[in-house]
Amino acid sequence: MWFIIDDQMADDRRIKRLPLATVGLWVKLCVIHSKGVSMQAKDPTAYPGHFDKIDLKDVGGTMKQLQQLIDMGLMEAHDDGWRPVYAEGICRESRVLTEEQREARRKAGSKGGKRKAANQKAKQTSGNLLANSQADGEQNSSGNGSETSGNLLDESQAKTWHKTDTYTDTETDIPSPAPPAGTAKQTGGDTPDHFAAIAGTYPGTIGAKGRKTETEARVLCEAIAEDPVQLARLQAAVRRYKRAVNDGQVPQRQVPRLATWLRDQWQTWAPEPATSQPRHNHTWNCNHVHQLMDPHEDEYDHTGSLREGHPSEWWQACQACADELNNQETSKEKQ
């Protein structure tokens, strides 16, 4: 499992106010916690869910530096120690993959390797056909010979060029997933089901489908989702609440039905709405793109190297999604 730092972290005011040594300590402690959570997924007794003073001393940190992190809201007390707070714009909580997800990724990688080998073979075949057609054209100076050579070239291009270059944007079939709330193009009845996402994350009961409690929860959720800002706060609130329940801060027996929580409690768990925020520039690795593309990750080939000028099919799909979101926000601002 990876500890993920947001690419805008260095511009955050909380990071700017901290000494460089304290920022380095924060990274080390976050890595310790991330590694511990990963070990905890395999053995619940391997990590208590927090680091203590001994861990702090082992990485060369002091209580003064730790207090600076707590004051900035980047660390919080937990049981007999401390743990990181995953702050928007600085870092995000890593996903612990299940065995099924790991197996799916392994199969996707194997499939991508076979596809790459097939593409290389197709390129070689195309090159041979092209070389043969050119040789035939040189040997035969008549018009019929030239026409035959041209036909062979056209056929070889038609049969192979569409599948030999995995890394060009024009030849890669990249789906256009629906962007998040507030930037989506509403077409027909393709409205995102925000209630299903909230209900899937909520750590308590929802109620039988179609019954009074489920219907009331759906109505409340849809009313909140009409405002994109409130919807974002609700999504953050349900994630925070789930984390609190999983960590034992909220006993499971005290978790109400979703309708009750939406009516009485959700705003107490939601972050304060920002008074003014600079426009977010979507990138291939930002949270908004991940929310849209992660469910489709296994559908793409991950082989390739951006550094060598051959980005993977997965990177191209994420970048195309980010570009689409940025274009939609630009169009919305002009209206």
Side-chain angles (χ1 to χ4, degrees):
M1 183 175 72
W2 295 82
F3 167 57
I4 303 173
I5 298 179
D6 194 288
D7 55 1
Q8 304 296 323
M9 181 269 285
D11 299 326
D12 192 277
R13 59 179 180 79
R14 290 163 289 189
I15 295 296
K16 288 182 176 180
R17 293 177 181 177
L18 289 173
L20 185 59
T22 304
V23 176
L25 174 65
W26 169 74
V27 173
K28 281 189 174 182
L29 294 176
C30 287
V31 171
I32 290 175
H33 180 74
S34 179
K35 180 180 179 180
V37 172
S38 180
M39 296 168 57
Q40 194 178 49
K42 300 178 180 179
D43 180 10
T45 63
Y47 181 64
H50 60 269
F51 59 85
D52 54 22
K53 290 184 178 180
I54 297 178
D55 297 320
L56 179 65
K57 184 177 180 181
D58 287 343
V59 298
T62 65
M63 288 301 299
K64 179 181 178 181
Q65 291 174 317
L66 179 63
Q67 188 60 48
Q68 290 174 335
L69 294 171
I70 294 174
D71 293 341
M72 287 297 171
L74 300 178
M75 289 287 172
E76 63 181 7
H78 182 68
D79 291 340
D80 297 328
W82 302 269
R83 66 180 181 184
V85 176
Y86 296 98
E88 181 70 20
I90 296 182
C91 61
R92 68 185 181 92
E93 189 173 6
S94 304
R95 293 185 304 164
V96 179
L97 298 179
T98 63
E99 289 300 324
E100 292 77 7
Q101 290 174 323
R102 293 180 186 274
E103 180 64 17
R105 287 197 172 189
R106 186 193 66 78
K107 291 181 179 179
S110 177
K111 183 179 178 181
K114 293 179 181 178
R115 186 186 305 165
K116 183 177 180 180
N119 289 341
Q120 290 176 344
K121 184 176 180 180
K123 283 183 178 180
Q124 184 177 4
T125 303
S126 176
N128 292 338
L129 286 173
L130 179 59
N132 292 337
S133 65
Q134 290 175 343
D136 292 341
E138 292 175 357
Q139 293 175 1
N140 190 350
S141 59
S142 65
N144 291 335
S146 299
E147 182 179 357
T148 303
S149 176
N151 291 338
L152 284 173
L153 176 59
D154 292 340
E155 291 177 2
S156 65
Q157 291 174 340
K159 292 179 179 178
T160 60
W161 284 5
H162 73 284
K163 61 180 180 180
T164 54
D165 194 350
T166 307
Y167 304 107
T168 58
D169 292 337
T170 57
E171 299 297 335
T172 304
D173 185 13
I174 300 175
S176 178
T183 60
K185 293 180 179 179
Q186 302 297 336
T187 57
D190 299 334
T191 304
D193 190 354
H194 301 298
F195 173 74
I198 297 298
T201 306
Y202 187 68
T205 57
I206 312 301
K209 186 174 182 179
R211 303 297 292 271
K212 180 179 178 181
T213 53
E214 191 266 351
T215 302
E216 181 183 2
R218 182 179 293 275
V219 171
L220 290 170
C221 183
E222 290 176 353
I224 297 171
E226 290 178 356
D227 184 350
V229 175
Q230 293 296 88
L231 174 60
R233 295 182 68 223
L234 174 60
Q235 292 168 339
V238 74
R239 289 195 298 269
R240 287 184 176 184
Y241 190 65
K242 181 180 181 179
R243 188 158 56 241
V245 173
N246 292 341
D247 293 343
Q249 296 180 12
V250 177
Q252 185 68 47
R253 65 178 181 276
Q254 295 182 8
V255 177
R257 289 182 181 270
L258 177 57
T260 303
W261 187 80
L262 289 172
R263 186 174 57 248
D264 303 329
Q265 298 185 24
W266 81 269
Q267 294 200 45
T268 62
W269 292 91
E272 291 298 324
T275 54
S276 62
Q277 292 183 344
R279 175 184 170 184
H280 172 67
N281 183 40
H282 299 284
T283 64
W284 76 274
N285 200 33
C286 74
N287 289 339
H288 305 97
V289 172
H290 273 287
Q291 289 174 4
L292 297 172
M293 295 300 297
D294 280 0
H296 307 283
E297 184 173 357
D298 295 337
E299 301 172 11
Y300 296 93
D301 183 7
H302 287 250
T303 57
S305 173
L306 181 61
R307 182 176 298 177
E308 296 177 1
H310 298 291
S312 66
E313 185 180 359
W314 166 246
W315 183 91
Q316 292 182 67
C318 291
Q319 186 60 49
C321 181
D323 292 341
E324 181 181 346
L325 293 179
N326 288 326
N327 291 337
Q328 289 176 2
E329 290 188 358
T330 301
S331 300
K332 185 176 180 181
E333 291 175 356
K334 292 181 179 179
Q335 292 178 354

